[in-house]
Amino acid sequence: MSRAIAKYWITSVMVGLVIVFAFLYVRPGWETKGDPKLRLATLEGDPKAVANLSVWGTYRYSRDFNSRIGLDVDGIIHEKEPTLYEQTFEPWLSAKTVKNMFDGNLDFLRGKKNYGTFYSDDEMLAYANTEHVNDDWVLQISVLDKDTKQQSDFEVQYPDSNTRNYWFTDALQRAANGDIIVLSTHSVNVDAEETRHDKELVRLQIDTGKKAISSVTTVIAGREEDKKQLGLLRNTKVYNPMPYMLISAPMNGKWGYYSYQTATGKLSPISIVKAGTEIPTMFDVADDRLDYAYTDGSRIHLQSFDLATGQPESEEILIDTSQWNAVSARAVAANPKAFSIIYENKKADDPIAGVAIVDRKTGKVIYRAEVQADGTEQERQEALRKFDLVSGLAL
Amino acid sequence: MMTFWKLLNLEVKRLVIPFVIMAIMVAAVQMYGAHAMARHTENEAKEIMAREKLATVQQLEELHGLASYADVIRINQSPWIILPIGLCIAFLLFYLFFVWYRDFIGKHSFMSRLLMVPASRHHIYFAKLFAPLLVIFALLAVQLLVLPVENRYYNSLLPDEMRVEYPLNYLISAIPFLRKLIPLSAEQFAFNYGMGIAAVIVLYTGVLLERSFRLLGLFGAIVYAVAAVYIATIPLGLGDHWFFYEKARLLAGIISVIGALSLWLSLYLLKRKITV
Amino acid sequence: MIELNNVKKRFGFRTVLSGVSFQAPKDAITCLTGLNGTGKTTILKSIMGLTPIHGGTITIDGSPLHHTSYERIVFVPDQLPMPGRMTVEGCLEFMSDHYRNWNPERAAELTQMFKLGLQDRVGSMSKGTAAKLNLLLALAMNADYMLMDEPFSGIDMFSREQIASVFSSELVEGRGVILTTHEVKEIEHLLDYVVMLDNGRITKQFACEDIRLAEGKSVVDVMREVYET
Amino acid sequence: MELLFNNRDPVYLQVVKHFKERIATGKLTAGQTIPSRRELASQLNINPNTAQKAYKEMEEQGLIVTEGNSPSRITGDTAILSRIRDELLTEAIDMFLASVRNIEVPPEQLLSLVQRRLESNRSEPSSERGGTE
């Protein structure tokens, strides 16, 4: 035996090194060693009440390294490298969206642009995309019947194809008679120097059978003001059927919001705005309810409105996060039962970054947790200072 | 099977000296680089603190953040790291030809002895394929061993409060070159090295084509290599009608087929057509 | 018996062997001779499978070459086929590593006889020493056939005699030997059969003793007749 | 036992002739053992097959006897031994006569020349005569 080792020692060393490489490459030590000792600590309520007990933020490891990390009760969650499949759709469409909306009809996504807009309901998938093709503004439409798997792709001309103006597809819905409703923003160039634009939200109804526009109506028009986004408040690429949509536009001198009924096109104002100085942080439209939240300092004001009438549906709930000596706070998500909020205080000695889930009716805290760090005083403060909370608890 | 181990052992023994030289060179140059960059960081910090009249490093850290080893590498795409690796790659690329031609040319053509070993000739092929691969992965091991040492050495040269801790795989993602060499996603790693090994096999096929048909073989080898590369790039040319992961899988499939075909062709040439 | 049947071979477009057929019996010494470049070495390499043939068949004891045949048929090329940096000891180790028919005792014996230093490197050996080591690697194998390419060319007088003595020793007894040379004169008395080649074709093949008995001619005489016409 | 071969006569016959000469000149006596095939091959620097053939030829001519695998011995049969002497002499004479034929010398003169040569040779030592030893 010893003669064999003497004979093969070089190859064995080399193979040994290869195994060392494999070990080093696979070893998780790479991710965790050198990590700050941060974690999420439950302060109130029952952790089991929360479906997904993790928050995400960025951590400034060093001058040029900010890395997105997740926190849960055990510690840091590192983002794992995306697989080839994930790289295909992320960040265009989240894996969840692809699964829920396009499962079984993945081919519908072939060749679609990542800045296009989608619509999905039980019977149909639709896609609309505005392109500026040889001096013409064109609306590319694709429609797929989920049952018959019949897909038809066609193009229609936008009414105004003046190149100095600009079309952009905002939303996609479906009319009762099967037509496609496309809501596009049309920014008209007022003066030659292209410094000021007038914006109008246009509703195009398209007959997929005839492959032509059946009606064009202007929903709302107005002058663009800085920091105020005129038109549809959108936060998704894939629309489900939405009986009502939220539109922000100038309203007799001030800035206001309207509820837009998809089917009829009726606009009705919603009395959201109070002093006009508040900072809205959440517009969550669910069927005919709008969950609206705004912040002033550490106080979060939550209220929901009936989009049909435009009137408040419930009393305004006030959550004063200063009780947790937070300085700033915001609501991030809502569902029929609760709201998810974030509160922070960066200036405090031990910087505070907290998340909570609040009962929609009573405003009472169902669950609350804060980011905490372990180690020496100095280590804790440094870790908390370098961590910026980005997304709160998902509902 | 013993034949394979014995031939592999022979090939590895011939690579020992170059391996030791390369390993020492990589470690030494990178460590010196760490030393140089630590000096640079310290001077830069002193400058900023003087200019902006910051009393403590703490303030510097809050205003600008402290430069970790990964930061300074990323900023100037540190030649200290890339150069030694580049030299190793250059040598290994040369060696992929030399591993065959050393046994053919010269007064003592060892290849005829190898061809007369009473075992299937694919042992010769696999010995000459695995030996360089073993050395490549051994060098990668050296690199992964040395990186944390460099990081610690870099920190050791800085005053205590200027030291920064971070997960070391950021050290790899700091340099695009290193990220290709050691991709953090296992899938990407398998993909890159699968392509690499397929390329080596295609290269070996070219060499064996030349060794079997001399000038005609050389011409054949060039045509073969060009065809292989062209076919390998077809998936990239596909329009956006294909999903990215489909293109990737198609590419992996094509590469595997090219690799398998080349492997079969190489073994056939070695068995039937090679001439000493 | 090693049998070549209508063997054809080309190097690129140049025909090297055009239909060569001969038999080398198991327990005889056959010599391939002819002027330079007549394909003698190519025939040996073809038998050993070191270069492909383009027609005809080569069989060893009735069956075509298989990699296990290398245990029973050894080849002594004109140059020692070992890497320059390898030592004599390394060569012996390589042979004992790969060949079951390797006879270590005989190897040691021959190493003594040829006075080879175990640590001498192949690259720094004289031509004579390298030729002796080359021969040793074949002789120390219990092989049925031994092919030798120009065993005597360009080596010193003393080594030549030692190598020639091998042909009369028991090392060769009962073995089929095929050797190539273009200086038949000195070793003519050692040969059983002679095959004469001229640009890839066999011009004459005969048993030496039969020619001497029948026509009282030496092999050299026959060669003069064949190659001068 | 050095033997210089000419390349025109079959080597194995030259070996047999060599043995006959040794027997005729009394260097090999009846019943004496002779070297084995292998030893003979290396002594005479000839190929073992040739030695083998020479032995077979000698056995056929009854010069040597081999029982089992014990070493061969010169035959004890004196009749054969004496016949070898005469055979060698006549063979030498035939060769002599063949070589002088084209000089056309009358037989008597030839005989007296040979006679005179013989007398002058007898006075000199035998070693410088032909190197068949």
Side-chain angles (χ1 to χ4, degrees):
Chain A
M1 184 54 190
S2 67
R3 208 185 65 73
I5 292 178
K7 189 169 154 67
Y8 290 103
W9 74 271
I10 294 178
T11 311
S12 333
V13 162
M14 218 54 93
V15 169
L17 275 174
V18 171
I19 293 166
V20 162
F21 169 72
F23 174 73
L24 285 178
Y25 183 76
V26 170
R27 195 164 56 100
W30 275 95
E31 278 92 48
T32 51
K33 205 174 78 50
D35 260 340
K37 302 189 189 61
L38 285 168
R39 60 184 166 74
L40 203 56
T42 306
L43 300 176
E44 278 179 60
D46 168 10
K48 288 195 195 51
V50 182
N52 183 340
L53 193 56
S54 68
V55 294
W56 284 84
T58 60
Y59 186 76
R60 196 156 55 78
Y61 283 98
S62 66
R63 185 183 61 191
D64 305 324
F65 263 106
N66 298 346
S67 167
R68 184 171 185 266
I69 57 170
L71 286 184
D72 63 13
V73 283
D74 305 325
I76 288 186
I77 315 164
H78 280 279
E79 272 185 315
K80 61 179 181 47
E81 295 287 324
T83 65
L84 285 175
Y85 186 84
E86 281 156 2
Q87 276 169 16
T88 311
F89 298 108
E90 228 59 59
W92 171 25
L93 298 164
S94 77
K96 193 157 67 60
T97 317
V98 170
K99 185 141 187 16
N100 304 348
M101 303 282 190
F102 298 100
D103 208 7
N105 302 305
L106 216 51
D107 289 343
F108 185 71
L109 289 172
R110 286 194 184 286
K112 300 295 185 295
K113 296 288 185 287
N114 58 20
Y115 45 81
T117 313
F118 291 90
Y119 169 81
S120 167
D121 62 19
D122 304 342
E123 293 101 22
M124 189 181 77
L125 272 178
Y127 162 80
N129 174 39
T130 305
E131 285 291 352
H132 188 211
V133 174
N134 43 48
D135 294 342
D136 257 339
W137 283 100
V138 162
L139 183 56
Q140 294 163 342
I141 303 282
S142 291
V143 178
L144 171 78
D145 183 316
K146 283 191 177 179
D147 307 334
T148 65
K149 299 291 182 202
Q150 253 279 336
Q151 176 170 341
S152 72
D153 311 294
F154 56 92
E155 281 182 359
V156 288
Q157 211 78 21
Y158 268 108
D160 155 21
S161 58
N162 171 336
T163 56
R164 282 188 22 255
N165 296 342
Y166 185 81
W167 288 93
F168 180 76
T169 339
D170 277 330
L172 207 52
Q173 286 294 309
R174 189 160 146 233
N177 65 5
D179 281 2
I180 297 287
I181 302 167
V182 176
L183 291 164
S184 291
T185 306
H186 180 212
S187 93
V188 182
N189 201 306
V190 173
D191 52 31
E193 295 85 24
E194 288 178 22
T195 51
R196 250 188 335 75
H197 296 259
D198 269 4
K199 275 247 180 104
E200 59 171 350
L201 183 63
V202 175
R203 169 196 178 105
L204 303 107
Q205 197 147 332
I206 296 166
D207 181 330
T208 53
K210 297 202 198 68
K211 295 189 167 75
I213 300 177
S214 48
S215 75
V216 178
T217 51
T218 304
V219 173
I220 204 160
R223 172 111 352 119
E224 178 107 292
E225 280 174 32
D226 53 16
K227 288 207 281 4
K228 285 284 186 285
Q229 200 259 355
L230 181 135
L232 198 69
L233 289 181
R234 59 175 292 184
N235 52 22
T236 175
K237 281 208 175 81
V238 185
Y239 285 86
N240 334 66
M242 291 173 77
Y244 292 93
M245 293 197 194
L246 198 62
I247 289 178
S248 84
M251 188 198 282
N252 43 48
K254 279 195 299 166
W255 199 262
Y257 298 94
Y258 294 89
S259 140
Y260 177 71
Q261 190 175 26
T262 317
T264 62
K266 186 164 78 59
L267 268 179
S268 47
I270 313 169
S271 53
I272 296 177
V273 179
K274 295 220 169 35
T277 59
E278 62 273 19
I279 312 156
T281 65
M282 181 176 76
F283 295 95
D284 193 293
V285 173
D287 297 334
D288 59 357
R289 192 186 70 250
L290 163 67
D291 289 326
Y292 169 68
Y294 70 88
T295 306
D296 63 30
S298 65
R299 281 186 304 284
I300 304 174
H301 302 265
L302 298 149
Q303 193 164 27
S304 50
F305 295 81
D306 177 354
L307 286 170
T309 63
Q311 298 313 322
E313 203 182 59
S314 64
E315 278 316 311
E316 181 183 272
I317 297 165
L318 172 64
I319 302 161
D320 188 346
T321 61
S322 60
Q323 59 183 310
W324 305 312
N325 71 56
V327 171
S328 70
R330 62 187 191 279
V332 287
N335 74 9
K337 285 202 298 311
F339 290 113
S340 166
I341 64 167
I342 289 179
Y343 60 91
E344 283 169 318
N345 180 352
K346 284 234 169 49
K347 296 290 173 289
D349 295 347
D350 275 8
I352 295 167
V355 286
I357 294 182
V358 174
D359 181 288
R360 164 190 284 282
K361 300 264 176 319
T362 64
K364 207 166 62 40
V365 167
I366 300 172
Y367 173 80
R368 186 166 70 87
E370 272 178 16
V371 175
Q372 283 180 2
D374 306 323
T376 66
E377 175 73 21
Q378 204 252 344
E379 273 171 358
R380 279 208 334 274
Q381 280 181 353
E382 190 194 339
L384 291 168
R385 196 161 30 76
K386 286 186 176 176
F387 178 72
D388 296 331
L389 187 58
V390 171
S391 64
L393 295 171
L395 290 176
Chain B
M1 254 327 270
M2 277 312 288
T3 309
F4 169 69
W5 287 112
K6 288 173 183 158
L7 290 179
L8 178 69
N9 190 43
L10 195 69
E11 291 294 337
V12 169
K13 266 200 278 189
R14 290 159 126 187
L15 257 173
V16 159
I17 296 170
F19 167 73
V20 167
I21 294 171
M22 285 192 280
I24 292 172
M25 186 256 299
V26 165
V29 169
Q30 289 186 354
M31 285 296 272
Y32 179 78
H35 175 85
M37 282 189 265
R39 281 286 161 276
H40 169 74
T41 305
E42 201 169 1
N43 301 343
E44 185 190 50
K46 282 203 183 68
E47 229 174 75
I48 295 172
M49 285 169 76
R51 196 172 64 235
E52 295 177 8
K53 299 190 184 41
L54 304 175
T56 68
V57 172
Q58 181 73 16
Q59 287 165 325
L60 174 72
E61 204 261 324
E62 261 143 30
L63 280 170
H64 300 283
L66 294 175
S68 69
Y69 184 51
D71 295 338
V72 285
I73 290 182
R74 188 216 288 254
I75 293 301
N76 50 31
Q77 288 310 319
S78 156
W80 301 111
I81 302 271
I82 295 176
L83 214 58
I85 299 175
L87 283 176
C88 295
I89 290 174
F91 169 77
L92 286 167
L93 274 178
F94 156 74
Y95 191 79
L96 289 177
F97 287 95
F98 186 63
V99 75
W100 289 100
Y101 282 106
R102 76 184 317 172
D103 289 337
F104 273 95
I105 47 179
K107 202 150 56 70
H108 300 282
S109 138
F110 184 43
M111 183 47 76
S112 44
R113 180 85 266 162
L114 285 173
L115 293 175
M116 293 191 289
V117 161
S120 159
R121 287 183 177 172
H122 61 244
H123 292 308
I124 303 170
Y125 182 86
F126 288 123
K128 285 187 184 292
L129 180 64
F130 282 98
L133 292 183
L134 267 183
V135 165
I136 288 170
F137 286 109
L139 281 173
L140 287 178
V142 167
Q143 180 64 81
L144 283 193
L145 286 170
V146 158
L147 276 179
V149 173
E150 288 161 33
N151 187 49
R152 230 174 288 120
Y153 177 57
Y154 171 86
N155 281 340
S156 68
L157 294 173
L158 293 176
D160 197 23
E161 64 280 4
M162 279 182 71
R163 290 182 189 154
V164 182
E165 283 304 324
Y166 53 90
L168 283 176
N169 57 8
Y170 286 140
L171 207 51
I172 295 180
S173 55
I175 311 178
F177 181 83
L178 214 50
R179 242 203 326 271
K180 281 201 189 51
L181 197 68
I182 311 172
L184 293 178
S185 110
E187 195 182 34
Q188 191 64 42
F189 185 90
F191 193 83
N192 286 11
Y193 281 85
M195 293 248 281
I197 291 172
V200 169
I201 292 175
V202 169
L203 187 110
Y204 276 13
T205 310
V207 167
L208 289 174
L209 271 170
E210 192 276 330
R211 282 293 95 190
S212 305
F213 306 106
R214 292 300 186 269
L215 206 58
L216 202 64
L218 183 65
F219 178 70
I222 294 168
V223 168
Y224 184 82
V226 165
V229 167
Y230 172 73
I231 293 169
T233 53
I234 289 175
L236 308 181
L238 297 176
D240 59 6
H241 201 68
W242 290 68
F243 290 136
F244 173 74
Y245 73 89
E246 285 172 339
K247 287 194 230 182
R249 286 188 188 145
L250 182 65
L251 182 60
I254 288 180
I255 298 278
S256 324
V257 165
I258 291 177
L261 179 75
S262 305
L263 187 62
W264 173 82
L265 183 55
S266 306
L267 296 180
Y268 170 76
L269 289 174
L270 196 54
K271 192 168 197 301
R272 287 276 179 267
K273 294 296 177 193
I274 199 88
T275 300
V276 170
Chain C
M1 183 244 290
I2 297 180
E3 185 173 6
L4 275 78
N5 186 341
N6 194 14
V7 171
K8 296 188 182 65
K9 179 166 171 53
R10 303 184 304 280
F11 265 136
F13 306 104
R14 189 164 55 84
T15 308
V16 177
L17 300 175
S18 37
V20 167
S21 304
F22 71 87
Q23 291 160 1
K26 183 157 183 323
D27 53 5
I29 299 182
T30 307
C31 172
L32 303 181
T33 187
L35 307 182
N36 264 350
T38 53
K40 303 195 292 291
T41 308
T42 311
I43 289 180
L44 293 190
K45 285 187 178 172
S46 307
I47 296 172
M48 290 306 291
L50 295 178
T51 185
I53 55 176
H54 299 96
T57 61
I58 298 179
T59 56
I60 298 157
D61 296 340
S63 54
L65 185 77
H66 181 262
H67 59 69
T68 49
S69 326
Y70 291 129
E71 290 275 3
R72 300 195 321 279
I73 177 169
V74 291
F75 178 44
V76 183
D78 58 357
Q79 291 291 352
L80 171 68
M82 282 304 193
R85 287 180 49 75
M86 201 178 251
T87 63
V88 171
E89 191 180 24
C91 297
L92 300 183
E93 190 188 347
F94 179 89
M95 297 302 285
S96 70
D97 270 356
H98 292 288
Y99 292 89
R100 265 193 305 282
N101 283 351
W102 177 254
N103 180 339
E105 296 76 27
R106 190 185 300 164
E109 222 181 280
L110 287 168
T111 312
Q112 287 302 339
M113 186 175 119
F114 287 147
K115 289 194 261 328
L116 300 171
L118 284 181
Q119 296 316 326
D120 303 348
R121 285 200 187 285
V122 166
S124 52
M125 273 178 194
S126 74
K127 211 163 183 310
T129 319
K132 280 190 264 182
L133 173 59
N134 201 2
L135 188 62
L136 182 149
L137 298 186
L139 289 175
M141 283 273 287
N142 305 330
D144 301 339
Y145 295 98
M146 188 161 78
L147 276 59
M148 307 175 72
D149 192 7
E150 304 285 353
F152 306 107
S153 72
I155 47 174
D156 56 78
M157 195 53 214
F158 176 67
S159 317
R160 188 192 296 259
E161 252 154 36
Q162 253 189 333
I163 292 176
S165 70
V166 160
F167 285 93
S168 50
S169 73
E170 80 288 352
L171 293 170
V172 159
E173 204 179 331
R175 284 206 212 185
V177 172
I178 305 178
L179 64 95
T180 69
T181 182
H182 47 270
E183 319 141 354
V184 176
K185 203 166 169 319
E186 287 149 33
I187 54 160
E188 193 185 314
H189 58 286
L190 291 166
L191 307 176
D192 292 321
Y193 297 93
V194 167
V195 176
M196 290 189 189
L197 284 151
D198 195 5
N199 58 53
R201 197 170 287 102
I202 292 188
T203 49
K204 200 169 174 45
Q205 55 179 308
F206 53 86
C208 307
E209 297 286 70
D210 298 350
I211 282 283
R212 290 185 189 116
L213 199 61
E215 300 165 22
K217 288 205 200 85
S218 76
V219 173
V220 173
D221 303 338
V222 178
M223 273 182 76
R224 202 164 286 120
E225 279 167 26
V226 166
Y227 289 111
E228 251 118 40
T229 53
Chain D
M1 216 153 123
E2 200 47 52
L3 182 56
L4 269 182
F5 293 103
N6 73 63
N7 283 331
R8 289 203 172 70
D9 300 333
V11 177
Y12 78 98
L13 292 182
Q14 293 181 52
V15 170
V16 169
K17 185 151 159 280
H18 168 65
F19 269 84
K20 283 180 180 171
E21 279 159 8
R22 299 289 303 281
I23 294 168
T25 55
K27 289 201 180 63
L28 282 175
T29 58
Q32 186 181 335
T33 60
I34 55 173
S36 75
R37 289 163 184 72
R38 185 172 303 166
E39 280 149 8
L40 182 76
S42 53
Q43 278 166 17
L44 297 185
N45 193 0
I46 54 170
N47 155 354
N49 298 347
T50 317
Q52 167 66 16
K53 239 172 151 180
Y55 272 54
K56 203 148 90 5
E57 180 65 20
M58 285 194 280
E59 269 155 15
E60 274 154 19
Q61 292 184 18
L63 262 74
I64 58 170
V65 172
T66 321
E67 286 103 12
N69 47 28
S70 60
S72 315
R73 284 179 296 98
I74 304 293
T75 173
D77 181 341
T78 52
I80 298 176
L81 292 179
S82 63
R83 210 185 70 247
I84 294 167
R85 249 176 89 77
D86 309 343
E87 200 186 291
L88 280 181
L89 282 174
T90 49
E91 208 176 287
I93 291 162
D94 293 347
M95 263 192 348
F96 169 69
L97 291 178
S99 58
V100 300
R101 181 162 303 114
N102 41 32
I103 310 173
E104 287 110 10
V105 171
E108 305 76 19
Q109 195 186 347
L110 188 63
L111 277 173
S112 63
L113 269 171
V114 167
Q115 186 68 28
R116 215 175 308 109
R117 277 309 279 167
L118 273 175
E119 274 131 17
S120 67
N121 279 359
R122 195 165 292 113
S123 57
E124 288 141 21
S126 66
S127 63
E128 35 97 327
R129 199 168 38 89
T132 54
E133 219 48 39

